Amino acid sequence: IVNTGDDFEHLGLQISPDLDTVCYMLAGIHNPETGWGRADETFQSFDQLELLGGPTWFRLGDRDLATHLERTRRLQAGDTLSQVTADFCQAWGIAPTVLPMSNHSIPTIVLTDQGELAFQEYFVHQQCRPAVTGFRFEGIQQASPAPGVIEAIIEADCVVICPSNPWVSIDPILHLPGILQSLEGKSVVGVSPIIGGQALKGPAAKMYTELGISPSAIAVADHYGDLLAGFVLDDVDKNLTKPLTMKCLITDTIMKEESDRLRLGEEVLSFAREL
C-alpha cells in the first residue's frame, strides 16, 4: 500500500513518485544510484526542454516519461489510478500486489516558515530548505482508500510499516478514513527510518528537529504509539530500547544491496511471526 500524497501534475502529466519508485524497484528496473527513476536512463527530452526555457526543476527521464504519458492518458480516459497501476505492474512483471492508498487526489501540503508549499515544491524545487511547522493532507477526510486496501489489511497476517518518512510517507496512509480501524487487533511492526539520529535519505530527521522533537528511533516509535506490536531498530540504536514498551528487534537495517533488502525483509517477517 503506497502513499500517493506526493502525486502532482507537472507539465500536464500526472506524476506518482512513490508508486513509481516502488514499482520500478520491484520490477528490477530502478536506478540504484539515485533511488528514484529508471536504470540506464537518458534525459534528452529534458535537455531540449531546458534549451527552450521550460521548467526543469523536476527532471523526468526519457524512459520514465512513457510511464507518465500513459498514466495521464489512461486517467483522462476515465480509468482509476488503481486500474492503471495494476496494468503497469502486469506489464513490468511484478508479482506482488501494489495498491495506491487512494484513487482520490490527496496532496500533501507542507507548512513552513515560508508559507504552505506543495510537497514536491518543498522537497525538490526548494530542496527541503524551508523550516517545517506542520503538514496538511488536502481533502483526506472526503477521500477513501482505493479498492483492495482495506481488504488487504484485514486479510493480512501482519502489517509492516516500512522505514519511510513517518510524517509524509506513512501518515497520509494512516490518516485515510477507515485505515486505523482496519488495523485494530493486527500485528503491526514498524521499521525505524532514523538510525543514529539521522535519516539515511530524505528530510525526516530535519523535520523532527524543526518540529521540536529530537530525531531518533524512539521518536519514530512514539509517533506510531499503541499502533505497534513490535519495532525494528538498527544495531547502532541498540541502547535505545529500554523506554520502549513494545517488543523490539535489533538488527542491521541499512539496505545497500538487494541482498540486504531480502535479509531484512525475512528478519522482519520472522519477528512478526513471533509476535
Side-chain angles (χ1 to χ4, degrees), residues 188-234:
V188 180
V189 175
V191 184
S192 177
I194 304 290
I195 300 174
Q198 300 293 324
L200 290 183
K201 58 181 289 188
K206 177 179 181 288
M207 289 175 172
Y208 270 104
T209 299
E210 291 169 354
L211 292 168
I213 305 169
S214 178
S216 69
I218 296 292
V220 176
D222 288 343
H223 187 93
Y224 296 130
D226 294 338
L227 181 62
L228 298 180
F231 191 56
V232 182
L233 307 86
D234 191 79

Side-chain angles (χ1 to χ4, degrees), residues 2-7 17-18 101 106-112 117-120 122-123 128 132-137 140 163-175 193 201-205 207-208 211 223-224:
V2 184
N3 168 50
T4 58
D6 296 4
D7 291 15
D18 283 5
M101 70 179 195
I106 312 171
T108 295
I109 306 299
V110 185
L111 313 182
T112 77
L117 300 173
F119 180 78
Q120 298 300 340
Y122 162 81
F123 185 59
C128 306
V132 170
T133 59
F135 308 94
R136 179 166 58 83
F137 310 122
I140 196 164
S164 294
N165 188 314
W167 301 102
V168 294
S169 293
I170 305 299
D171 273 1
I173 303 173
L174 294 179
H175 282 71
K201 58 181 289 188
M207 289 175 172
Y208 270 104
L211 292 168
H223 187 93
Y224 296 130

Side-chain angles (χ1 to χ4, degrees), residues 35-230:
W36 56 269
R38 295 190 54 164
D40 303 318
E41 188 62 282
T42 56
F43 290 88
Q44 295 185 43
S45 294
F46 264 64
D47 290 342
Q48 292 302 308
L49 182 63
E50 184 175 21
L51 178 66
L52 297 171
T56 58
W57 59 269
F58 194 94
R59 287 174 65 80
L60 301 170
D62 299 323
R63 293 171 183 262
D64 192 31
L65 269 171
T67 300
H68 311 308
L69 285 166
E70 179 60 4
R71 178 189 292 118
T72 303
R73 186 192 71 80
R74 292 275 304 271
L75 292 176
Q76 290 178 348
D79 290 336
T80 66
L81 185 58
S82 293
Q83 293 169 327
V84 175
T85 301
D87 289 345
F88 283 7
C89 286
Q90 183 175 13
W92 288 323
I94 296 172
T97 301
V98 180
L99 300 171
M101 70 179 195
S102 179
N103 286 328
H104 296 95
S105 175
I106 312 171
T108 295
I109 306 299
V110 185
L111 313 182
T112 77
D113 59 351
Q114 298 181 25
E116 296 191 357
L117 300 173
F119 180 78
Q120 298 300 340
E121 172 68 22
Y122 162 81
F123 185 59
V124 179
H125 201 185
Q126 300 285 342
Q127 298 181 340
C128 306
R129 286 187 294 263
V132 170
T133 59
F135 308 94
R136 179 166 58 83
F137 310 122
E138 199 167 87
I140 196 164
Q141 293 305 321
Q142 292 75 45
S144 59
V149 168
I150 296 295
E151 293 83 353
I153 295 173
I154 291 174
E155 294 172 6
D157 296 313
C158 69
V159 176
V160 178
I161 299 179
C162 294
S164 294
N165 188 314
W167 301 102
V168 294
S169 293
I170 305 299
D171 273 1
I173 303 173
L174 294 179
H175 282 71
L176 269 171
I179 295 293
L180 287 178
Q181 291 89 331
S182 67
L183 287 168
E184 290 179 1
K186 287 291 173 183
S187 179
V188 180
V189 175
V191 184
S192 177
I194 304 290
I195 300 174
Q198 300 293 324
L200 290 183
K201 58 181 289 188
K206 177 179 181 288
M207 289 175 172
Y208 270 104
T209 299
E210 291 169 354
L211 292 168
I213 305 169
S214 178
S216 69
I218 296 292
V220 176
D222 288 343
H223 187 93
Y224 296 130
D226 294 338
L227 181 62
L228 298 180

Side-chain angles (χ1 to χ4, degrees), residues 3-26:
N3 168 50
T4 58
D6 296 4
D7 291 15
F8 75 123
E9 182 179 311
H10 184 56
L11 298 172
L13 300 174
Q14 296 296 324
I15 316 293
S16 296
D18 283 5
L19 269 177
D20 293 340
T21 296
V22 168
C23 289
Y24 290 163
M25 175 76 73
L26 290 172

